[in-house]
């Protein structure tokens, strides 16, 4: 057994020039008084520890450097005990033609209980050896709650095809229980692992993973959790750094709040090939794609469970890109007050957008705003099951829906608020909504139950424009008091074919006011026998019913027409 520098300071161990040191266990800085000791392994040398290696078991400021050499241990621990702070392990690659710099171990703990410890892989060094069985198994940064501000850095390269690497055959924890711990991947460094837990337990707060610079890569074989139980944790991809996983979840459990993912700058990319979740059960978590960053995902869901509230997803800035493989964006699966922001010249295409998917999913919202900001989707469901959903198209934003917009889709039976009081607002010059069909008050996936979807509104205001092929206000028989309001000069609601006001529901309303305009080929008020108390009110606006063959009709069957100019 070897205890190097058991209780002394400024001691040095050197293994040089083809030297070999083989021991059962080793410690650099064993006692709390053992500080600023060093072990150097250099020049095609080998240090084999058949048991554990600790750098700062209880001591502080100790250093191990491995360069152009190999080292192996069952476990490597930096800062083992509380108070073992500021210890460093460096793997430094050499020049072209030099031997590998490599470390293999079953487990690496950077800050088990101690703080401010560092593990650095640079200049083409390898922690874990590619294409060899001698990898690192599992790594934890900040193991215990006292283990704060520890860091792992993987940076640099020795040639274009020989980059610094951290290769794990199992999982990586950044902040298992500790806070303020960091993983930095920079300057073409690479990190790979099975799963990644950033902020694993409830005490694991404010931990950070940063991937920066073109060619820097973080690869997660299974799933990334940003805030498994902890809060305030961050994943940052910047300046061309990339990261990929099958699934990415931000805010996994109910305690996991205020966690953040940021993807920013051209070339920076996050890939979640199967799914991306912001707020599985946690609240106030954020995902931001900005300034030319890219997100590629199978599907995106905000607010999965009922406890998941106030989570947000923002796509911001020209050049920022979101590819969803023609999949679904759900804002509020069961959670409340979750939000999607698409702004400042972004283009997004996806298969389906849903706001408020279940009866508990209320007060969810989405905003498409700014000139040249575009959202294209095949279906748009606002208030799919929940109440008070809000979809805003403002300040020049544009939304194209190739098939159908459903506003207030269904209700779930007695005692359920159902899909009520949801709103689509198209406001401001240049703001546009185009759709093949529009149903307000039902007409979605399932037949409705009592009570019906009611109080839903389409607002076309202040120069906004909506164009649809056909539409229904009060689509289902239980649908009541749904309406369209066209308000303000330059505001236009165009129906290329037929608009039914009260197809089966009651109390459907169309209000045109303050210089707004509505143009349709045909309008029927009160289509079926169940559809009563419908209203068309032109109060200071323009109502035009016409078509190319001059056969347009305003058919008033069950309702009231007010013309008050």
């Amino acid at each position: 057994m070897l205890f190097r520098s058991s209780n002394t300071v400024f001691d040095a161990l050197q293994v040089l020039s083809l030297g070999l040191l083989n021991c059962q266990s080793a410690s650099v800085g064993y006692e709390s008084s053992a500080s600023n000791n060093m072990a150097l392994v250099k020049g095609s040398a080998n240090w084999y520890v058949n048991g554990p290696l600790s750098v700062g078991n209880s001591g502080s400021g100790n250093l191990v450097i491995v360069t152009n050499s190999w080292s192996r241990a069952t476990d490597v621990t930096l800062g083992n005990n509380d108070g073992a702070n500021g210890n460093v392990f460096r793997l430094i690659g050499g020049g072209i033609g030099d031997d590998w710099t490599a470390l293999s171990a079953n487990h690496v703990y950077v800050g088990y209980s101690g703080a401010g410890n560092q593990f650095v892989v640079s200049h083409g060094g390898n922690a874990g050896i590619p294409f060899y069985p001698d990898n690192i198994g599992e790594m934890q940064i900040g193991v215990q709650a006292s283990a704060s501000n520890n860091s792992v850095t993987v940076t640099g390269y020795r040639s274009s095809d020989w980059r610094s690497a951290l290769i794990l055959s199992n999982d990586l924890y950044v902040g298992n229980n500790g806070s303020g711990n960091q993983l930095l991947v920079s300057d073409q460094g690479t990190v790979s692992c099975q799963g990644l837990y950033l902020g694993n337990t409830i005490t694991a707060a404010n931990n950070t993973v940063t991937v920066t610079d073109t060619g820097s890569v973080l690869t997660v074989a299974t799933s990334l959790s940003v805030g498994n139980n902890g809060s305030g944790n961050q994943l940052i991809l910047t300046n061309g750094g990339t990261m990929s996983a099958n699934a990415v979840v931000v805010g996994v459990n109910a305690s996991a709040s205020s966690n953040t993912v940021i993807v920013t700058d051209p070339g920076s990319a996050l890939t979640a090939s199967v799914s991306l979740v912001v707020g599985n059960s946690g609240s106030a978590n954020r995902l931001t794609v900005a300034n030319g960053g890219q997100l590629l995902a199978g599907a995106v869901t905000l607010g999965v469970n009922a406890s998941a509230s106030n989570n947000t997803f923002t796509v911001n800035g020209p050049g920022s890109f979101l590819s969803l493989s023609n999949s679904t964006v759900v804002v509020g699966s069961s959670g409340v007050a979750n939000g999607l922001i698409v702004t400042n010249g972004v283009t997004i295409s996806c298969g389906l957008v849903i706001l408020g998917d279940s009866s508990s999913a209320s007060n969810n919202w989405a905003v498409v705003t700014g000139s040249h900001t575009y959202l294209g989707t095949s279906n748009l469901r606002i208030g799919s099951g929940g109440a008070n959903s809000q979809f805003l198209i403002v300040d020049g934003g544009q939304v194209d829906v190739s098939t159908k917009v459903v506003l207030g889709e269904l209700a779930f039976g007695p005692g359920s608020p159902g899909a009520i009081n949801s709103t689509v607002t198209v406001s401001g010059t240049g703001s546009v909504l185009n759709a093949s069909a529009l149903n307000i008050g039902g007409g979605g996936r399932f037949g409705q139950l009592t009570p019906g979807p009611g109080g839903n509104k389409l607002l076309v205001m202040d120069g906004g424009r909506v164009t649809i092929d056909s539409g229904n206000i009060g689509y289902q028989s239980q649908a009541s008091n749904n309406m369209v309001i066209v308000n303000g000069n330059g505001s236009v609601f165009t129906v290329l074919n037929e608009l039914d006001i009260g197809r089966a529901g009651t109390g459907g309303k169309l209000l045109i006011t303050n210089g707004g305009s509505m143009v349709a080929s045909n309008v029927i008020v009160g289509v079926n026998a169940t559809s009563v108390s419908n209203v068309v009110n032109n109060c200071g606006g323009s109502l035009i019913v016409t078509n190319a063959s001059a056969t347009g009709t305003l058919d008033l069957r069950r309702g009231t027409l007010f013309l008050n100019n």
Side-chain angles (χ1 to χ4, degrees):
M1 180 177 291
L2 170 71
F3 291 107
R4 183 61 197 171
S5 301
S6 178
N7 56 13
T8 57
V9 298
F10 293 109
D11 279 346
L13 164 71
Q14 298 186 60
V15 185
L16 307 173
S17 300
L18 302 177
L20 171 63
L21 174 61
N22 196 327
C23 57
Q24 291 301 309
S25 63
S27 182
V28 181
Y30 185 75
E31 302 285 355
S32 60
S33 59
S35 62
N36 300 301
N37 301 285
M38 183 182 76
L40 173 64
V41 184
K42 179 181 179 182
S44 301
N46 294 281
W47 187 10
Y48 296 148
V49 182
N50 298 313
L53 165 63
S54 66
V55 183
N57 179 62
S58 296
S60 298
N62 299 285
L63 172 66
V64 170
I65 298 174
V66 179
T67 180
N68 300 329
S69 300
W70 290 46
S71 183
R72 183 178 64 205
T74 57
D75 298 319
V76 176
T77 303
L78 281 72
N80 187 41
N81 293 311
D82 197 358
N85 304 329
N87 300 284
V88 179
F89 195 117
R90 292 185 179 273
L91 287 167
I92 305 173
I96 297 174
D98 289 335
D99 282 345
W100 272 2
T101 298
L103 169 70
S104 64
N106 295 329
H107 302 89
V108 175
Y109 304 109
V110 182
Y112 194 91
S113 296
N117 300 283
Q118 299 178 55
F119 184 91
V120 181
V121 185
S122 65
H123 298 87
N126 284 184
I129 307 168
F131 314 115
Y132 276 71
D134 292 337
N135 289 332
I136 306 291
E138 178 185 271
M139 174 176 278
Q140 295 189 27
I141 310 168
V143 180
Q144 302 294 339
S146 61
S148 62
N149 300 304
N150 300 284
S151 66
V152 170
T153 301
V154 183
T155 184
Y157 55 94
R158 60 188 276 185
S159 65
S160 60
D161 58 352
W162 199 313
R163 300 187 287 177
S164 298
L166 170 61
I167 302 167
L168 306 179
S169 57
N170 292 314
D171 296 334
L172 171 61
Y173 295 81
V174 183
N176 183 43
N177 289 283
S179 298
N181 300 285
Q182 299 182 53
L183 168 66
L184 172 64
V185 188
S186 66
D187 194 20
Q188 300 190 40
T190 65
V191 174
S192 62
C193 59
Q194 285 297 306
L196 198 162
Y197 298 89
L198 175 55
N200 187 38
T201 68
I202 197 168
T203 61
N206 303 311
N207 301 283
T208 304
V209 171
T210 302
V211 185
T212 182
D213 306 327
T214 301
S216 300
V217 178
L218 171 59
T219 303
V220 180
T222 56
S223 63
L224 163 66
S225 299
V226 182
N228 189 44
N229 288 283
S231 298
N233 302 284
Q234 292 188 76
L235 168 68
I236 301 170
L237 308 180
T238 183
N239 197 34
T242 64
M243 182 261 167
S244 63
N246 282 340
V248 175
V249 183
V250 188
V252 179
N253 294 305
S255 61
S257 63
S258 302
N259 300 285
T260 303
V261 173
I262 298 172
V263 186
T264 183
D265 304 329
S268 300
L270 171 62
T271 300
S273 57
V274 176
S275 64
L276 188 149
V277 171
V278 184
N280 181 63
S281 294
S283 298
N285 300 285
R286 294 182 297 145
L287 167 64
T288 300
V289 181
N291 193 34
Q294 299 182 25
L295 171 64
L296 297 87
V300 174
T301 305
L302 282 73
V304 174
N305 296 308
S307 61
S309 63
N310 297 294
N311 301 285
T312 58
F313 174 25
T314 301
V315 189
N316 182 7
S320 297
F321 179 75
L322 174 62
S323 175
L324 292 174
S325 307
N326 291 320
S327 290
T328 302
V329 177
V330 178
V331 183
S333 179
S334 295
V336 302
N338 302 284
L340 168 67
I341 302 170
V342 184
T343 185
N344 196 23
V346 171
T347 296
I348 295 178
S349 296
C350 59
L352 172 64
V353 177
I354 298 175
L355 270 66
D357 195 34
S358 66
S359 59
S360 65
S362 63
N363 298 294
N364 296 285
W365 53 273
V367 179
V368 180
T369 180
S371 178
H372 305 295
T373 301
Y374 175 84
L375 171 63
T377 182
S378 61
N379 283 274
L380 178 60
R381 296 171 177 165
I382 312 302
S384 185
N388 303 312
S389 299
Q390 303 283 328
F391 191 94
L392 289 85
I393 307 168
V394 296
D395 296 332
Q398 179 175 339
V399 175
D400 288 342
V401 183
S402 60
T403 55
K404 182 165 54 178
V405 176
V406 180
L407 175 56
E409 188 170 9
L410 71 152
F412 287 91
S416 167
I420 62 173
N421 300 328
S422 293
T423 305
V424 172
T425 301
V426 184
S427 179
T429 301
S431 301
V432 174
L433 170 62
N434 299 313
S436 178
L438 168 67
N439 292 333
I440 305 177
R445 296 170 291 175
F446 312 112
Q448 79 297 331
L449 301 172
T450 303
N456 303 287
K457 301 179 183 68
L458 169 64
L459 307 179
V460 188
M461 304 170 62
D462 300 326
R465 290 176 175 264
V466 174
T467 302
I468 60 174
D469 289 340
S470 60
N472 298 279
I473 305 173
Y475 183 83
Q476 294 173 325
S477 60
Q478 284 87 350
S480 62
N481 300 308
N482 299 284
M483 68 173 60
V484 172
I485 299 174
V486 187
N487 179 42
N489 290 323
S491 302
V492 180
F493 179 36
T494 301
V495 184
L496 300 177
N497 294 304
E498 182 175 293
L499 175 67
D500 294 340
I501 303 171
R503 185 178 184 273
T506 61
K509 297 178 179 65
L510 170 65
L511 172 62
I512 309 162
T513 185
N514 294 327
S517 298
M518 191 270 185
V519 181
S521 292
N522 294 284
V523 176
I524 301 176
V525 182
V527 177
N528 296 308
T530 58
S531 181
V532 296
S533 302
N534 303 289
V535 174
V536 177
N537 189 347
N538 181 18
C539 181
S542 174
L543 171 60
I544 301 172
V545 181
T546 186
N547 57 37
S549 59
T551 59
T553 59
L554 172 56
D555 186 351
L556 185 64
R557 299 180 186 177
R558 297 169 185 87
T560 306
L561 172 64
F562 293 97
L563 300 176
N564 181 11
N565 290 312

